[in-house]
Amino acid sequence: GQQVMQIPQYQHVQEGEDFTTYCNSSTTLSNIQWYKQRPGGHPVFLIQLVKSGEVKKQKRLTFQFGEAKKNSSLHITATQTTDVGTYFCAGGDSNYQLIWGAGTKLIIKP
Amino acid sequence: DSGVTQTPKHLITATGQRVTLRCSPRSGDLSVYWYQQSLDQGLQFLIQYYNGEERAKGNILERFSAQQFPDLHSELNLSSLELGDSALYFCASSGLAGGNYYEQFFGPGTRLTVL
């Protein structure tokens, strides 16, 4: 079946360093959503991208949707302790369902 | 607070038993989704209901079943429980047709421990 691959599985960064997670699909997606799950919490919607090549920013977070609508990335500039958590992408398939990536866990080294 | 409620918060039971998890979606949301999240793992989509009818099925075991009632709350039934069923079970809801263009609002989850 259709899959959305998300890498890396974990990323350790020093506070203040940047962080990026990538999602790739073998097929064209209709849209992509990003969610954040804090430790011990539930996933919370961050943003949705729909258009080819779309770039959206939320303060230090930059979200991109590839030109072919097969890949997406989330980049965090100058990480802070509040950024800790797992970031999930979820791509919309042709059956109007979301296909979830496995998530990238952001760990900030003390 | 997402507006999605789940009960119970914690559930401890023995192998072979049956449990029911309950979810109330946000007011007005017609779609309900169930997910399983094992320790430090990703979200496994189980099943979606829309306005009382099954809409999509994911990796849901035959021992598991769900339903959505006329008041739109949903229940996930897990039977013949095994140790490997221990996980966090999330319910999420979304508006309108609940397709992939609508954000999902997650409840706080039910942590199931099978001993």
Side-chain angles (χ1 to χ4, degrees), chain B residues 72-85:
Chain B
L72 300 178
H73 90 271
S74 178
E75 292 180 356
L76 178 67
N77 300 295
L78 315 175
S79 61
S80 303
L81 286 168
E82 302 174 359
L83 295 177
D85 297 327

Side-chain angles (χ1 to χ4, degrees), chain A:
Chain A
Q2 191 169 0
Q3 285 189 324
V4 172
M5 305 301 294
Q6 186 172 0
I7 57 168
Q9 190 177 1
Y10 299 92
Q11 189 163 2
H12 294 74
V13 301
Q14 296 276 6
E15 188 174 4
E17 291 182 338
D18 292 357
F19 161 83
T20 306
T21 173
Y22 302 90
C23 285
N24 288 287
S25 169
S26 56
T27 58
T28 302
L29 300 169
S30 54
N31 62 310
I32 194 147
Q33 297 181 358
W34 286 91
Y35 291 77
K36 176 184 178 182
Q37 183 178 21
R38 292 181 187 272
H42 57 273
V44 175
F45 175 82
L46 293 177
I47 207 162
Q48 173 169 264
L49 305 173
V50 178
K51 298 176 186 173
S52 168
E54 190 168 11
V55 178
K56 285 189 176 180
K57 292 192 176 187
Q58 289 180 348
K59 296 183 182 177
R60 295 176 295 102
L61 278 62
T62 301
F63 304 84
Q64 292 188 319
F65 200 11
E67 292 288 343
K69 299 182 75 172
K70 288 185 176 182
N71 55 62
S72 181
S73 64
L74 158 59
H75 180 82
I76 302 178
T77 305
T79 54
Q80 299 175 358
T81 54
T82 53
D83 296 325
V84 161
T86 301
Y87 293 84
F88 292 97
C89 64
D93 71 4
S94 53
N95 293 318
Y96 306 103
Q97 297 300 316
L98 283 179
I99 310 298
W100 290 78
T104 295
K105 192 170 186 176
L106 170 59
I107 299 159
I108 296 191
K109 294 184 276 192

